[in-house]
Amino acid sequence: MSVLGHTLSTWFAGKLAPAAAALPVRLGGRGSFSNTTAPAQVRGFDQPLVWVVVTLLLWGLVMVYSASIAMPDNPRFSNYTHAHFLVRHVLSLGVAFVAALIAFQIPVQTWEKVAPWLFVASLALLIAVLVPFIGKGVNGARRWIALGIMNFQPSELAKFAVLLYAADYMVRKMDVKERFFRAVMPMAVAVAVVGLLLLAEPDMGAFMVIAVIAMGILFLGGVNARMFFLIAAILLVAFGLMIALSEWRRERIFAYLDPWSEKNAVAKGYQLTHSLIAIGRGEVFGVGLGGSVEKLHWLPEAHTDFLLAVIGEEFGLVGVVLLIGLFLWLTRRIMHIGRQAIALDRVFAGLVAQGVGIWMGFQSFINMGVNLGALPTKGLTLPLMSYGGSAILINLIAISVVLRIDFENRQLMHGGRV
C-alpha cells in the first residue's frame, strides 16, 4: 500500500509541476497546502516609483532649507526665523502626504465621475482669485488665496482638473475623435477659458503647462494627427501674439537673448545671469551643501523657481545630471503605467497616468531650461522639490492617483477585480 501511495504522489507531482510553473503565483513545494515555501507576494503599488518620489521630496526639503536659511538677513524678511520656510515646507509636506493617502483610497472610476465637477470647481477658484479681497497679490500677480497654513494657488488645481477632464472627455468622444468640431473644438474652448483666467492673473507659465497637458491627452487619445498639428500651430501663434503684444514679455525675451548686456544684467536678465553664475561656480562636483554664495541675496527666488541653480552650485554638474536622470526615470515610469492601463482596456486611467507623466516631464523640463539659460525666464517651480504648498499638495495627489492606477492594474493582471 505504501508503494502504491509513493507511486501516486510521484505521478501527481510530475503532473502538477508544469501547471504550477504557469500560474502567476507559486504553489507550495509538496502541494497547494504546504507551508514549506512562501507564496509569491503581489506588491500593491510601484515601490521604485514611491522611492524616487520620496528621494525628490527629501532632497527638495534639504535644498529649500539651504536656499532660504539666509533670507531673514534681508530687511524684507527680517521678521522670519532662519527655519521659517523649512517649517512651512514641512507642514505642506505633511498636509500633502495625508491628502495623497486619501486620494490613493479613491477608485479611478470615482475620479472619472467627478472630473467635470472638479473642472468647474477649478474655474470657480480661478475667478475667485481675481477678486481683490479674496486673491492675494505678490509682485504684481494675483495668484494665491490665503488659507492660513498655506497660500493656495488655484492654477495648480487647474492643471490636475484639466488633466482629469481631458481624459474623461476623450473617453466620451472616442467615437467622433476624427471630427474636429465635435471632438476637438469643445475641449479647445474649455482650455481657452482657463487660459484667459490664468492670463488675467497673469500666469502664462501655468497656461503653457495646461495647454501641453490637454494637447498631449488629445494626441494620446487618438485625435487625428493633422488636427493635432493644427492645434499646435494655433497655440504657437497665440503664444507669439501674447509676447508681441506685451511690452514686459518682449523685454524678457530680449533679456534672454542677451542677458549679459549692461541694460539687461541689472534688469530683466538679472535672475538668469545670477542663475548661470551659480551653476558655473558649482563646476563638476559643487562647492558643497550649504556653500552657495548666490543664495545670499544675489539670486531672487532661490528657494522656488531657481532651486536648480542652488543645486547646481552646491552639487555641481554631478548633482544636476543626477536630478535630470531622476525626472527622466519618473516620467518614463509614469508613462509606462499609463500604457499598461490602456493595454488592459482602461482608457481613462491610462490617459490620466500619461497626462501626469506629460505634466511632470514638461514642467521640470521648462524649469531646468530656464535655470540653465536654455529657455526664457518663466515662473514655473520644479515639481516635488521647490518651495510651495499648493504645488506640493497637488503634485502628490497626482502621483497618488498614478499609484492607484498601478494598484488596480496589478489587481486585474492577477485575476482580481477593481
Side-chain angles (χ1 to χ4, degrees), residues 29 34 47 83 88 92 105 110 116 149 155 169 179 190 206 295 343 367:
S34 173
Q47 291 187 17
R88 289 183 68 89
S92 298
Q105 305 302 319
T110 303
I149 62 171
S155 61
Y169 178 84
R179 300 180 185 179
K295 70 184 181 184
N367 179 271

Side-chain angles (χ1 to χ4, degrees), residues 26-362:
R26 291 179 296 173
L27 298 174
R30 295 182 182 176
S32 59
F33 298 100
S34 173
N35 292 323
T36 56
T37 303
Q41 294 183 351
V42 180
R43 289 180 297 180
F45 54 87
D46 193 323
Q47 291 187 17
L49 177 60
V50 171
W51 285 116
V52 168
V53 171
V54 170
T55 299
L56 291 171
L57 290 172
L58 293 179
W59 194 359
L61 178 65
V62 172
M63 294 314 301
V64 164
Y65 184 46
S66 177
S68 64
I69 190 171
M71 289 182 68
D73 297 337
N74 187 326
R76 179 184 170 191
F77 303 103
S78 58
N79 294 328
Y80 294 167
T81 65
H82 290 285
H84 172 81
F85 292 97
L86 172 67
V87 171
R88 289 183 68 89
H89 197 64
V90 169
L91 287 174
S92 298
L93 285 173
V95 172
F97 180 71
V98 172
L101 287 178
I102 295 172
F104 182 78
Q105 305 302 319
I106 301 174
V108 176
Q109 187 177 10
T110 303
W111 287 111
E112 187 173 3
K113 291 178 181 177
V114 303
W117 302 108
L118 192 61
F119 177 70
V120 172
S122 70
L123 288 178
L125 288 173
L126 288 174
I127 294 171
V129 78
L130 299 175
V131 179
F133 61 88
I134 297 178
K136 179 181 178 182
V138 178
N139 296 328
R142 190 177 296 277
R143 304 176 183 174
W144 296 269
I145 297 175
L147 296 179
I149 62 171
M150 70 168 65
N151 292 323
F152 184 74
Q153 198 169 356
S155 61
E156 294 296 333
L157 176 62
K159 295 173 187 176
F160 184 58
V162 168
L163 187 155
L164 292 176
Y165 180 71
D168 173 59
Y169 178 84
M170 280 309 302
V171 171
R172 289 187 283 109
K173 297 290 184 178
M174 197 61 70
D175 294 336
V176 293
K177 63 184 179 182
E178 297 292 329
R179 300 180 185 179
F180 180 80
F181 287 101
R182 293 188 61 185
V184 179
M185 185 58 73
M187 190 67 216
V189 171
V191 173
V193 171
V194 173
L196 289 173
L197 293 172
L198 288 172
L199 291 174
E201 295 182 3
D203 193 351
M204 186 174 175
F207 180 33
M208 287 176 59
V209 173
I210 286 174
V212 169
I213 291 171
M215 281 182 58
I217 290 176
L218 289 176
F219 180 73
L220 293 170
V223 166
N224 186 285
R226 286 177 298 177
M227 290 191 290
F228 174 79
F229 287 116
L230 175 62
I231 299 169
I234 292 172
L235 281 174
L236 287 173
V237 171
F239 285 126
L241 287 173
M242 290 175 203
I243 294 170
L245 298 175
S246 172
E247 183 179 355
W248 65 272
R249 288 194 178 107
R250 287 199 309 271
E251 291 177 354
R252 183 171 286 186
I253 295 295
F254 293 144
Y256 156 71
L257 295 174
D258 186 14
W260 301 102
S261 69
E262 185 177 351
K263 176 185 176 182
N264 293 328
V266 294
K268 295 294 183 181
Y270 183 82
Q271 280 182 305
L272 176 55
T273 54
H274 281 279
S275 176
L276 294 175
I277 291 171
I279 292 171
R281 287 192 74 250
E283 297 184 348
V284 178
F285 297 105
V287 299
L289 180 62
S292 170
V293 172
E294 284 297 318
K295 70 184 181 184
L296 303 177
H297 316 303
W298 293 103
L299 178 62
E301 309 299 336
H303 61 308
T304 55
D305 300 348
F306 285 85
L307 189 67
L308 181 68
V310 180
I311 293 173
E313 187 175 2
E314 297 188 350
F315 290 92
L317 176 65
V318 173
V320 173
V321 170
L322 176 60
L323 187 63
I324 292 173
L326 287 174
F327 273 104
L328 280 173
W329 187 93
L330 178 73
T331 303
R332 181 178 178 276
R333 192 77 167 194
I334 293 174
M335 296 297 285
H336 171 73
I337 290 172
R339 288 195 302 270
Q340 196 174 57
I342 291 174
L344 292 168
D345 202 25
R346 306 178 65 226
V347 179
F348 173 79
L351 291 177
V352 167
Q354 291 182 325
V356 174
I358 293 170
W359 173 8
M360 297 296 161
F362 180 73

